[in-house]
Amino acid sequence: MGFSNSQESHPADLPAALTIADSIRHHNLPGAFTEPVAYAKEQSILSEGELATDIHIVVSGAVRLFKMMPDGRRQIIGFAFPGDMLGLSLDDRYLHSAEAISPVILRHMGRRQLAALLERDHGLRKALLAWTMTELQIAQDQMLLLGRKDATERLSSFLLTLLQRRNHSTEDRHLPLAMTRTDIADYLGLSMETVSRTISLLKGRRLIRPLADHSIELLNVPGLRDLAAGNAIAVQLDP
Amino acid sequence: MGFSNSQESHPADLPAALTIADSIRHHNLPGAFTEPVAYAKEQSILSEGELATDIHIVVSGAVRLFKMMPDGRRQIIGFAFPGDMLGLSLDDRYLHSAEAISPVILRHMGRRQLAALLERDHGLRKALLAWTMTELQIAQDQMLLLGRKDATERLSSFLLTLLQRRNHSTEDRHLPLAMTRTDIADYLGLSMETVSRTISLLKGRRLIRPLADHSIELLNVPGLRDLAAGNAIAVQLDP
DNA sequence: CGACCTGTTGATCGTGGTCAAGATTAGTGG
DNA sequence: CCACTAATCTTGACCACGATCAACAGGTCG
């Protein structure tokens, strides 16, 4: 879930960052997860406050994780893609809700079974700690974005973290957007109209090119990086 | 660092939430930390991007953790009080900066020594995982606050989490504020003028009473809870 | 006691939200 | 496969919340 915008660095003596799915594959834990379960687009996977019976791993598709306020305001906390985990929580209730953005396939595992595995498998413990710390870092970057960045900076940051996430074969600047404008808005703390306007603005400045199939081509990654970091001066408003 | 606004729930089979300091005391790890080190008010403790050589435990005083943008915009990621840890990171660089808000006393421990302790001590590993997950939960609550709450809701949430943090002997509604208005503003994603105005507003509605010594008395906790949750309708704008 | 820092309050402005009207795309069924 | 409908997206006009600029008050410390 979520994305980090920080520069990557070399892992030292603390556990390295792998996806949980990687880790479970790597540590060869057979039969830990159920068979794949399919969810339709827009289907609810779990809800904030519910009893946290299971954790889930995304096999395919995309998921949004979010919190709601009583009057309907929504904050998307992150997105989950294949390899990502959802539903982990310290207490026995889920911390946020999750819905399928596209058709999704998940595997899940009982909470007590995870706890038992963790008791046995040192590598898995390390992987879980690494995952949690990575998520924390992502969340803290997002706090800076939500608290202090303007709409253009938010959009640029979002696109770049998506690019990094999908760590494309180095020079593929083509981003498929699984989520709607409304989802992006609720992730970036904006209205969907502002997201739309800001995309048009970046398009006008030749930084991106929105394509017909809900995907975006990044035409000027360094320019986007300047914007995302808040060096707005460095980017020309050329004709 | 930081605070959680979520309702507390019963810990289940995953590790319980203790402060790291508690855990180290509890697990009886002698000589793990250095002797206490004093920092003056406003003194820098560590800086984002620096080599992460040590982790620190707050013995006394208050610390702000923050990220800066190149043009000086600041987002405070959390505050650290006695018993809290700072400086933990997956890679070898600090993720954010830390400064003493008041005179502060810290103990620290080398990164490799922590890693060695973690290899040996199962309980400490659990405590560290619990700590990280608690911080993640706090950060996600803060994402909702920063992305979707208005100034009044932010202030109310902040005061309530402070109250909960300092888990006062049940009925003490008296909050000493260690930080300035500017710090609160940079934590809540507001300007310091808006923080000041919002405090005056809550004071006008008889929800709080700011005292002379930088502390605030909470006069109507249920009312503040309604505001914090976004049930603004439930609160009267009485004369 | 005076200088400075922190906080309060007022006046004005601007970014982004809201409301609204079209345009485009996707979905559905004949 | 196309026609019709519905959802998503774009763009425009206006508005409001909170930012900025500014003046002043209170508190703190040398």
Side-chain angles (χ1 to χ4, degrees), chain B residues 149-151 189-191 193-194 197 212:
Chain B
K149 290 186 180 179
D150 69 20
L190 299 169
S191 70
E193 292 92 334
T194 297
R197 274 186 248 273

PDB file of all heavy atoms in Angstrom, chain B residues 149-151 189-191 193-194 197 212, chain D residues 17-23 27-29:
ATOM      1  N   LYS B 149      -9.722  17.106   7.333  1.00  0.00           N
ATOM      2  CA  LYS B 149     -10.366  17.834   8.427  1.00  0.00           C
ATOM      3  C   LYS B 149     -10.139  19.336   8.317  1.00  0.00           C
ATOM      4  O   LYS B 149      -9.106  19.787   7.816  1.00  0.00           O
ATOM      5  CB  LYS B 149      -9.828  17.322   9.780  1.00  0.00           C
ATOM      6  CG  LYS B 149     -10.295  15.908  10.115  1.00  0.00           C
ATOM      7  CD  LYS B 149      -9.879  15.487  11.522  1.00  0.00           C
ATOM      8  CE  LYS B 149     -10.355  14.072  11.825  1.00  0.00           C
ATOM      9  NZ  LYS B 149      -9.938  13.617  13.174  1.00  0.00           N
ATOM     10  N   ASP B 150     -11.108  20.128   8.799  1.00  0.00           N
ATOM     11  CA  ASP B 150     -10.930  21.579   8.804  1.00  0.00           C
ATOM     12  C   ASP B 150     -10.193  21.995  10.078  1.00  0.00           C
ATOM     13  O   ASP B 150      -9.865  21.167  10.928  1.00  0.00           O
ATOM     14  CB  ASP B 150     -12.263  22.302   8.632  1.00  0.00           C
ATOM     15  CG  ASP B 150     -13.181  22.157   9.831  1.00  0.00           C
ATOM     16  OD1 ASP B 150     -12.704  21.839  10.932  1.00  0.00           O
ATOM     17  OD2 ASP B 150     -14.399  22.357   9.665  1.00  0.00           O
ATOM     18  N   ALA B 151      -9.928  23.284  10.204  1.00  0.00           N
ATOM     19  CA  ALA B 151      -9.055  23.777  11.275  1.00  0.00           C
ATOM     20  C   ALA B 151      -9.584  23.408  12.661  1.00  0.00           C
ATOM     21  O   ALA B 151      -8.811  22.971  13.529  1.00  0.00           O
ATOM     22  CB  ALA B 151      -8.884  25.289  11.150  1.00  0.00           C
ATOM     23  N   GLY B 189      -0.686  21.230   9.779  1.00  0.00           N
ATOM     24  CA  GLY B 189      -0.801  21.710   8.406  1.00  0.00           C
ATOM     25  C   GLY B 189      -1.559  23.012   8.301  1.00  0.00           C
ATOM     26  O   GLY B 189      -2.297  23.250   7.343  1.00  0.00           O
ATOM     27  N   LEU B 190      -1.394  23.897   9.288  1.00  0.00           N
ATOM     28  CA  LEU B 190      -2.080  25.193   9.299  1.00  0.00           C
ATOM     29  C   LEU B 190      -1.047  26.311   9.459  1.00  0.00           C
ATOM     30  O   LEU B 190       0.143  26.040   9.628  1.00  0.00           O
ATOM     31  CB  LEU B 190      -3.064  25.245  10.478  1.00  0.00           C
ATOM     32  CG  LEU B 190      -4.187  24.207  10.497  1.00  0.00           C
ATOM     33  CD1 LEU B 190      -4.912  24.218  11.845  1.00  0.00           C
ATOM     34  CD2 LEU B 190      -5.175  24.485   9.365  1.00  0.00           C
ATOM     35  N   SER B 191      -1.498  27.553   9.419  1.00  0.00           N
ATOM     36  CA  SER B 191      -0.622  28.664   9.780  1.00  0.00           C
ATOM     37  C   SER B 191      -0.783  28.908  11.274  1.00  0.00           C
ATOM     38  O   SER B 191      -1.783  28.532  11.877  1.00  0.00           O
ATOM     39  CB  SER B 191      -1.005  29.920   9.010  1.00  0.00           C
ATOM     40  OG  SER B 191      -2.246  30.411   9.467  1.00  0.00           O
ATOM     41  N   GLU B 193      -1.326  31.647  12.732  1.00  0.00           N
ATOM     42  CA  GLU B 193      -2.458  32.549  12.971  1.00  0.00           C
ATOM     43  C   GLU B 193      -3.773  31.765  13.070  1.00  0.00           C
ATOM     44  O   GLU B 193      -4.617  32.048  13.923  1.00  0.00           O
ATOM     45  CB  GLU B 193      -2.572  33.591  11.857  1.00  0.00           C
ATOM     46  CG  GLU B 193      -1.449  34.613  11.807  1.00  0.00           C
ATOM     47  CD  GLU B 193      -0.330  34.183  10.901  1.00  0.00           C
ATOM     48  OE1 GLU B 193      -0.158  32.955  10.712  1.00  0.00           O
ATOM     49  OE2 GLU B 193       0.384  35.060  10.391  1.00  0.00           O
ATOM     50  N   THR B 194      -3.937  30.787  12.187  1.00  0.00           N
ATOM     51  CA  THR B 194      -5.160  29.982  12.228  1.00  0.00           C
ATOM     52  C   THR B 194      -5.243  29.166  13.512  1.00  0.00           C
ATOM     53  O   THR B 194      -6.325  29.022  14.092  1.00  0.00           O
ATOM     54  CB  THR B 194      -5.241  29.072  10.986  1.00  0.00           C
ATOM     55  OG1 THR B 194      -5.323  29.901   9.826  1.00  0.00           O
ATOM     56  CG2 THR B 194      -6.460  28.172  11.025  1.00  0.00           C
ATOM     57  N   ARG B 197      -6.339  31.659  16.168  1.00  0.00           N
ATOM     58  CA  ARG B 197      -7.761  31.984  15.993  1.00  0.00           C
ATOM     59  C   ARG B 197      -8.653  30.818  16.422  1.00  0.00           C
ATOM     60  O   ARG B 197      -9.692  31.025  17.049  1.00  0.00           O
ATOM     61  CB  ARG B 197      -8.037  32.285  14.514  1.00  0.00           C
ATOM     62  CG  ARG B 197      -7.771  33.722  14.126  1.00  0.00           C
ATOM     63  CD  ARG B 197      -8.219  33.945  12.683  1.00  0.00           C
ATOM     64  NE  ARG B 197      -7.089  34.192  11.813  1.00  0.00           N
ATOM     65  CZ  ARG B 197      -6.564  35.396  11.619  1.00  0.00           C
ATOM     66  NH1 ARG B 197      -7.065  36.443  12.237  1.00  0.00           N
ATOM     67  NH2 ARG B 197      -5.536  35.562  10.824  1.00  0.00           N
ATOM     68  N   ALA B 212      -2.527  30.779  31.755  1.00  0.00           N
ATOM     69  CA  ALA B 212      -1.396  31.694  31.576  1.00  0.00           C
ATOM     70  C   ALA B 212      -0.091  30.949  31.282  1.00  0.00           C
ATOM     71  O   ALA B 212       0.744  31.423  30.507  1.00  0.00           O
ATOM     72  CB  ALA B 212      -1.235  32.555  32.826  1.00  0.00           C
TER      73      ALA B 212
ATOM     74  P    DC D  17     -16.278  28.879   5.183  1.00  0.00           P
ATOM     75  OP1  DC D  17     -17.449  28.091   5.541  1.00  0.00           O
ATOM     76  OP2  DC D  17     -16.109  30.268   5.669  1.00  0.00           O
ATOM     77  O5'  DC D  17     -14.985  28.034   5.586  1.00  0.00           O
ATOM     78  C5'  DC D  17     -14.543  26.973   4.738  1.00  0.00           C
ATOM     79  C4'  DC D  17     -13.040  27.000   4.673  1.00  0.00           C
ATOM     80  O4'  DC D  17     -12.607  28.029   3.752  1.00  0.00           O
ATOM     81  C3'  DC D  17     -12.351  27.273   6.004  1.00  0.00           C
ATOM     82  O3'  DC D  17     -11.417  26.237   6.219  1.00  0.00           O
ATOM     83  C2'  DC D  17     -11.714  28.672   5.837  1.00  0.00           C
ATOM     84  C1'  DC D  17     -11.574  28.806   4.330  1.00  0.00           C
ATOM     85  N1   DC D  17     -11.740  30.176   3.746  1.00  0.00           N
ATOM     86  C2   DC D  17     -10.903  30.609   2.699  1.00  0.00           C
ATOM     87  O2   DC D  17     -10.007  29.865   2.293  1.00  0.00           O
ATOM     88  N3   DC D  17     -11.104  31.842   2.163  1.00  0.00           N
ATOM     89  C4   DC D  17     -12.091  32.622   2.617  1.00  0.00           C
ATOM     90  N4   DC D  17     -12.246  33.830   2.043  1.00  0.00           N
ATOM     91  C5   DC D  17     -12.947  32.205   3.676  1.00  0.00           C
ATOM     92  C6   DC D  17     -12.745  30.995   4.212  1.00  0.00           C
ATOM     93  P    DG D  18     -10.651  26.103   7.593  1.00  0.00           P
ATOM     94  OP1  DG D  18     -10.428  24.662   7.837  1.00  0.00           O
ATOM     95  OP2  DG D  18     -11.354  26.940   8.597  1.00  0.00           O
ATOM     96  O5'  DG D  18      -9.246  26.766   7.259  1.00  0.00           O
ATOM     97  C5'  DG D  18      -8.508  26.256   6.152  1.00  0.00           C
ATOM     98  C4'  DG D  18      -7.477  27.262   5.693  1.00  0.00           C
ATOM     99  O4'  DG D  18      -8.132  28.457   5.197  1.00  0.00           O
ATOM    100  C3'  DG D  18      -6.485  27.758   6.770  1.00  0.00           C
ATOM    101  O3'  DG D  18      -5.215  27.760   6.178  1.00  0.00           O
ATOM    102  C2'  DG D  18      -7.010  29.154   7.079  1.00  0.00           C
ATOM    103  C1'  DG D  18      -7.442  29.578   5.686  1.00  0.00           C
ATOM    104  N9   DG D  18      -8.310  30.742   5.612  1.00  0.00           N
ATOM    105  C8   DG D  18      -9.376  31.047   6.425  1.00  0.00           C
ATOM    106  N7   DG D  18      -9.951  32.173   6.097  1.00  0.00           N
ATOM    107  C5   DG D  18      -9.219  32.636   5.004  1.00  0.00           C
ATOM    108  C6   DG D  18      -9.363  33.812   4.233  1.00  0.00           C
ATOM    109  O6   DG D  18     -10.207  34.723   4.347  1.00  0.00           O
ATOM    110  N1   DG D  18      -8.411  33.896   3.208  1.00  0.00           N
ATOM    111  C2   DG D  18      -7.438  32.965   2.986  1.00  0.00           C
ATOM    112  N2   DG D  18      -6.601  33.200   1.973  1.00  0.00           N
ATOM    113  N3   DG D  18      -7.280  31.857   3.709  1.00  0.00           N
ATOM    114  C4   DG D  18      -8.201  31.762   4.699  1.00  0.00           C
ATOM    115  P    DA D  19      -3.874  28.017   6.907  1.00  0.00           P
ATOM    116  OP1  DA D  19      -3.114  26.772   6.871  1.00  0.00           O
ATOM    117  OP2  DA D  19      -4.125  28.720   8.184  1.00  0.00           O
ATOM    118  O5'  DA D  19      -3.170  29.051   5.901  1.00  0.00           O
ATOM    119  C5'  DA D  19      -3.098  28.728   4.526  1.00  0.00           C
ATOM    120  C4'  DA D  19      -2.442  29.868   3.758  1.00  0.00           C
ATOM    121  O4'  DA D  19      -3.376  30.956   3.625  1.00  0.00           O
ATOM    122  C3'  DA D  19      -1.202  30.456   4.427  1.00  0.00           C
ATOM    123  O3'  DA D  19      -0.234  30.770   3.436  1.00  0.00           O
ATOM    124  C2'  DA D  19      -1.736  31.690   5.152  1.00  0.00           C
ATOM    125  C1'  DA D  19      -2.905  32.119   4.274  1.00  0.00           C
ATOM    126  N9   DA D  19      -4.030  32.676   5.041  1.00  0.00           N
ATOM    127  C8   DA D  19      -4.654  32.098   6.111  1.00  0.00           C
ATOM    128  N7   DA D  19      -5.647  32.805   6.598  1.00  0.00           N
ATOM    129  C5   DA D  19      -5.670  33.935   5.784  1.00  0.00           C
ATOM    130  C6   DA D  19      -6.495  35.082   5.774  1.00  0.00           C
ATOM    131  N6   DA D  19      -7.497  35.274   6.633  1.00  0.00           N
ATOM    132  N1   DA D  19      -6.247  36.015   4.829  1.00  0.00           N
ATOM    133  C2   DA D  19      -5.247  35.809   3.957  1.00  0.00           C
ATOM    134  N3   DA D  19      -4.412  34.775   3.868  1.00  0.00           N
ATOM    135  C4   DA D  19      -4.681  33.867   4.814  1.00  0.00           C
ATOM    136  P    DT D  20       1.161  31.376   3.853  1.00  0.00           P
ATOM    137  OP1  DT D  20       2.112  30.921   2.818  1.00  0.00           O
ATOM    138  OP2  DT D  20       1.388  31.127   5.283  1.00  0.00           O
ATOM    139  O5'  DT D  20       0.945  32.962   3.685  1.00  0.00           O
ATOM    140  C5'  DT D  20       0.486  33.478   2.447  1.00  0.00           C
ATOM    141  C4'  DT D  20       0.278  34.970   2.575  1.00  0.00           C
ATOM    142  O4'  DT D  20      -0.897  35.236   3.372  1.00  0.00           O
ATOM    143  C3'  DT D  20       1.433  35.726   3.242  1.00  0.00           C
ATOM    144  O3'  DT D  20       1.777  36.809   2.398  1.00  0.00           O
ATOM    145  C2'  DT D  20       0.842  36.205   4.577  1.00  0.00           C
ATOM    146  C1'  DT D  20      -0.628  36.314   4.231  1.00  0.00           C
ATOM    147  N1   DT D  20      -1.592  36.170   5.368  1.00  0.00           N
ATOM    148  C2   DT D  20      -2.566  37.122   5.532  1.00  0.00           C
ATOM    149  O2   DT D  20      -2.669  38.101   4.796  1.00  0.00           O
ATOM    150  N3   DT D  20      -3.415  36.897   6.574  1.00  0.00           N
ATOM    151  C4   DT D  20      -3.403  35.827   7.461  1.00  0.00           C
ATOM    152  O4   DT D  20      -4.229  35.741   8.361  1.00  0.00           O
ATOM    153  C5   DT D  20      -2.363  34.870   7.233  1.00  0.00           C
ATOM    154  C7   DT D  20      -2.246  33.673   8.131  1.00  0.00           C
ATOM    155  C6   DT D  20      -1.516  35.074   6.211  1.00  0.00           C
ATOM    156  P    DC D  21       3.130  37.621   2.645  1.00  0.00           P
ATOM    157  OP1  DC D  21       3.703  37.885   1.309  1.00  0.00           O
ATOM    158  OP2  DC D  21       3.918  36.932   3.677  1.00  0.00           O
ATOM    159  O5'  DC D  21       2.595  38.996   3.252  1.00  0.00           O
ATOM    160  C5'  DC D  21       1.546  39.687   2.584  1.00  0.00           C
ATOM    161  C4'  DC D  21       1.031  40.820   3.449  1.00  0.00           C
ATOM    162  O4'  DC D  21       0.104  40.295   4.429  1.00  0.00           O
ATOM    163  C3'  DC D  21       2.117  41.571   4.236  1.00  0.00           C
ATOM    164  O3'  DC D  21       1.884  42.966   4.094  1.00  0.00           O
ATOM    165  C2'  DC D  21       1.910  41.080   5.668  1.00  0.00           C
ATOM    166  C1'  DC D  21       0.401  40.871   5.684  1.00  0.00           C
ATOM    167  N1   DC D  21      -0.091  39.940   6.733  1.00  0.00           N
ATOM    168  C2   DC D  21      -1.280  40.235   7.411  1.00  0.00           C
ATOM    169  O2   DC D  21      -1.882  41.272   7.115  1.00  0.00           O
ATOM    170  N3   DC D  21      -1.728  39.389   8.356  1.00  0.00           N
ATOM    171  C4   DC D  21      -1.045  38.276   8.643  1.00  0.00           C
ATOM    172  N4   DC D  21      -1.532  37.474   9.577  1.00  0.00           N
ATOM    173  C5   DC D  21       0.171  37.953   7.965  1.00  0.00           C
ATOM    174  C6   DC D  21       0.608  38.804   7.029  1.00  0.00           C
ATOM    175  P    DA D  22       2.901  44.044   4.683  1.00  0.00           P
ATOM    176  OP1  DA D  22       2.913  45.172   3.735  1.00  0.00           O
ATOM    177  OP2  DA D  22       4.161  43.357   5.054  1.00  0.00           O
ATOM    178  O5'  DA D  22       2.183  44.503   6.032  1.00  0.00           O
ATOM    179  C5'  DA D  22       0.784  44.797   6.012  1.00  0.00           C
ATOM    180  C4'  DA D  22       0.293  45.101   7.410  1.00  0.00           C
ATOM    181  O4'  DA D  22      -0.129  43.874   8.052  1.00  0.00           O
ATOM    182  C3'  DA D  22       1.312  45.750   8.351  1.00  0.00           C
ATOM    183  O3'  DA D  22       0.734  46.890   8.949  1.00  0.00           O
ATOM    184  C2'  DA D  22       1.606  44.657   9.359  1.00  0.00           C
ATOM    185  C1'  DA D  22       0.266  43.938   9.402  1.00  0.00           C
ATOM    186  N9   DA D  22       0.304  42.581   9.927  1.00  0.00           N
ATOM    187  C8   DA D  22       1.210  41.602   9.656  1.00  0.00           C
ATOM    188  N7   DA D  22       0.989  40.481  10.295  1.00  0.00           N
ATOM    189  C5   DA D  22      -0.143  40.745  11.048  1.00  0.00           C
ATOM    190  C6   DA D  22      -0.891  39.964  11.951  1.00  0.00           C
ATOM    191  N6   DA D  22      -0.583  38.699  12.246  1.00  0.00           N
ATOM    192  N1   DA D  22      -1.968  40.532  12.518  1.00  0.00           N
ATOM    193  C2   DA D  22      -2.270  41.809  12.219  1.00  0.00           C
ATOM    194  N3   DA D  22      -1.650  42.638  11.391  1.00  0.00           N
ATOM    195  C4   DA D  22      -0.581  42.038  10.834  1.00  0.00           C
ATOM    196  P    DA D  23       1.639  48.004   9.637  1.00  0.00           P
ATOM    197  OP1  DA D  23       1.469  49.245   8.846  1.00  0.00           O
ATOM    198  OP2  DA D  23       2.986  47.456   9.890  1.00  0.00           O
ATOM    199  O5'  DA D  23       0.913  48.200  11.036  1.00  0.00           O
ATOM    200  C5'  DA D  23      -0.514  48.282  11.070  1.00  0.00           C
ATOM    201  C4'  DA D  23      -0.995  47.844  12.436  1.00  0.00           C
ATOM    202  O4'  DA D  23      -0.846  46.406  12.555  1.00  0.00           O
ATOM    203  C3'  DA D  23      -0.205  48.453  13.613  1.00  0.00           C
ATOM    204  O3'  DA D  23      -1.133  49.002  14.546  1.00  0.00           O
ATOM    205  C2'  DA D  23       0.562  47.267  14.181  1.00  0.00           C
ATOM    206  C1'  DA D  23      -0.376  46.111  13.848  1.00  0.00           C
ATOM    207  N9   DA D  23       0.259  44.804  13.809  1.00  0.00           N
ATOM    208  C8   DA D  23       1.401  44.442  13.163  1.00  0.00           C
ATOM    209  N7   DA D  23       1.730  43.180  13.317  1.00  0.00           N
ATOM    210  C5   DA D  23       0.723  42.680  14.129  1.00  0.00           C
ATOM    211  C6   DA D  23       0.483  41.400  14.668  1.00  0.00           C
ATOM    212  N6   DA D  23       1.281  40.353  14.452  1.00  0.00           N
ATOM    213  N1   DA D  23      -0.621  41.244  15.439  1.00  0.00           N
ATOM    214  C2   DA D  23      -1.413  42.292  15.651  1.00  0.00           C
ATOM    215  N3   DA D  23      -1.291  43.550  15.204  1.00  0.00           N
ATOM    216  C4   DA D  23      -0.190  43.670  14.442  1.00  0.00           C
ATOM    217  P    DG D  27       0.421  38.396  30.295  1.00  0.00           P
ATOM    218  OP1  DG D  27      -0.664  37.771  31.041  1.00  0.00           O
ATOM    219  OP2  DG D  27       1.138  39.556  30.864  1.00  0.00           O
ATOM    220  O5'  DG D  27       1.476  37.270  29.922  1.00  0.00           O
ATOM    221  C5'  DG D  27       2.115  37.327  28.640  1.00  0.00           C
ATOM    222  C4'  DG D  27       3.331  36.470  28.620  1.00  0.00           C
ATOM    223  O4'  DG D  27       4.320  37.127  27.795  1.00  0.00           O
ATOM    224  C3'  DG D  27       4.033  36.253  29.957  1.00  0.00           C
ATOM    225  O3'  DG D  27       4.737  35.017  29.885  1.00  0.00           O
ATOM    226  C2'  DG D  27       4.959  37.458  30.049  1.00  0.00           C
ATOM    227  C1'  DG D  27       5.347  37.688  28.585  1.00  0.00           C
ATOM    228  N9   DG D  27       5.468  39.100  28.204  1.00  0.00           N
ATOM    229  C8   DG D  27       4.690  40.157  28.616  1.00  0.00           C
ATOM    230  N7   DG D  27       5.037  41.302  28.083  1.00  0.00           N
ATOM    231  C5   DG D  27       6.114  40.971  27.270  1.00  0.00           C
ATOM    232  C6   DG D  27       6.918  41.785  26.448  1.00  0.00           C
ATOM    233  O6   DG D  27       6.820  42.996  26.254  1.00  0.00           O
ATOM    234  N1   DG D  27       7.904  41.063  25.800  1.00  0.00           N
ATOM    235  C2   DG D  27       8.097  39.699  25.927  1.00  0.00           C
ATOM    236  N2   DG D  27       9.092  39.162  25.234  1.00  0.00           N
ATOM    237  N3   DG D  27       7.361  38.920  26.694  1.00  0.00           N
ATOM    238  C4   DG D  27       6.394  39.628  27.343  1.00  0.00           C
ATOM    239  P    DT D  28       5.652  34.474  31.055  1.00  0.00           P
ATOM    240  OP1  DT D  28       5.478  33.015  31.129  1.00  0.00           O
ATOM    241  OP2  DT D  28       5.415  35.319  32.245  1.00  0.00           O
ATOM    242  O5'  DT D  28       7.115  34.765  30.499  1.00  0.00           O
ATOM    243  C5'  DT D  28       7.435  34.386  29.158  1.00  0.00           C
ATOM    244  C4'  DT D  28       8.884  34.690  28.859  1.00  0.00           C
ATOM    245  O4'  DT D  28       9.038  36.072  28.437  1.00  0.00           O
ATOM    246  C3'  DT D  28       9.837  34.495  30.047  1.00  0.00           C
ATOM    247  O3'  DT D  28      10.996  33.823  29.592  1.00  0.00           O
ATOM    248  C2'  DT D  28      10.133  35.929  30.508  1.00  0.00           C
ATOM    249  C1'  DT D  28      10.051  36.695  29.187  1.00  0.00           C
ATOM    250  N1   DT D  28       9.661  38.136  29.298  1.00  0.00           N
ATOM    251  C2   DT D  28      10.298  39.056  28.506  1.00  0.00           C
ATOM    252  O2   DT D  28      11.183  38.769  27.727  1.00  0.00           O
ATOM    253  N3   DT D  28       9.848  40.358  28.656  1.00  0.00           N
ATOM    254  C4   DT D  28       8.851  40.799  29.513  1.00  0.00           C
ATOM    255  O4   DT D  28       8.543  41.981  29.562  1.00  0.00           O
ATOM    256  C5   DT D  28       8.227  39.785  30.324  1.00  0.00           C
ATOM    257  C7   DT D  28       7.146  40.149  31.279  1.00  0.00           C
ATOM    258  C6   DT D  28       8.651  38.509  30.177  1.00  0.00           C
ATOM    259  P    DC D  29      12.020  33.201  30.623  1.00  0.00           P
ATOM    260  OP1  DC D  29      12.301  31.811  30.207  1.00  0.00           O
ATOM    261  OP2  DC D  29      11.591  33.507  32.004  1.00  0.00           O
ATOM    262  O5'  DC D  29      13.308  34.075  30.277  1.00  0.00           O
ATOM    263  C5'  DC D  29      13.634  34.343  28.903  1.00  0.00           C
ATOM    264  C4'  DC D  29      14.671  35.437  28.828  1.00  0.00           C
ATOM    265  O4'  DC D  29      14.018  36.724  28.912  1.00  0.00           O
ATOM    266  C3'  DC D  29      15.689  35.397  29.975  1.00  0.00           C
ATOM    267  O3'  DC D  29      16.991  35.608  29.473  1.00  0.00           O
ATOM    268  C2'  DC D  29      15.254  36.544  30.883  1.00  0.00           C
ATOM    269  C1'  DC D  29      14.699  37.529  29.848  1.00  0.00           C
ATOM    270  N1   DC D  29      13.736  38.516  30.410  1.00  0.00           N
ATOM    271  C2   DC D  29      13.703  39.828  29.885  1.00  0.00           C
ATOM    272  O2   DC D  29      14.480  40.137  28.973  1.00  0.00           O
ATOM    273  N3   DC D  29      12.815  40.712  30.397  1.00  0.00           N
ATOM    274  C4   DC D  29      11.984  40.336  31.373  1.00  0.00           C
ATOM    275  N4   DC D  29      11.121  41.254  31.822  1.00  0.00           N
ATOM    276  C5   DC D  29      12.001  39.013  31.917  1.00  0.00           C
ATOM    277  C6   DC D  29      12.881  38.151  31.403  1.00  0.00           C
TER     278       DC D  29
END
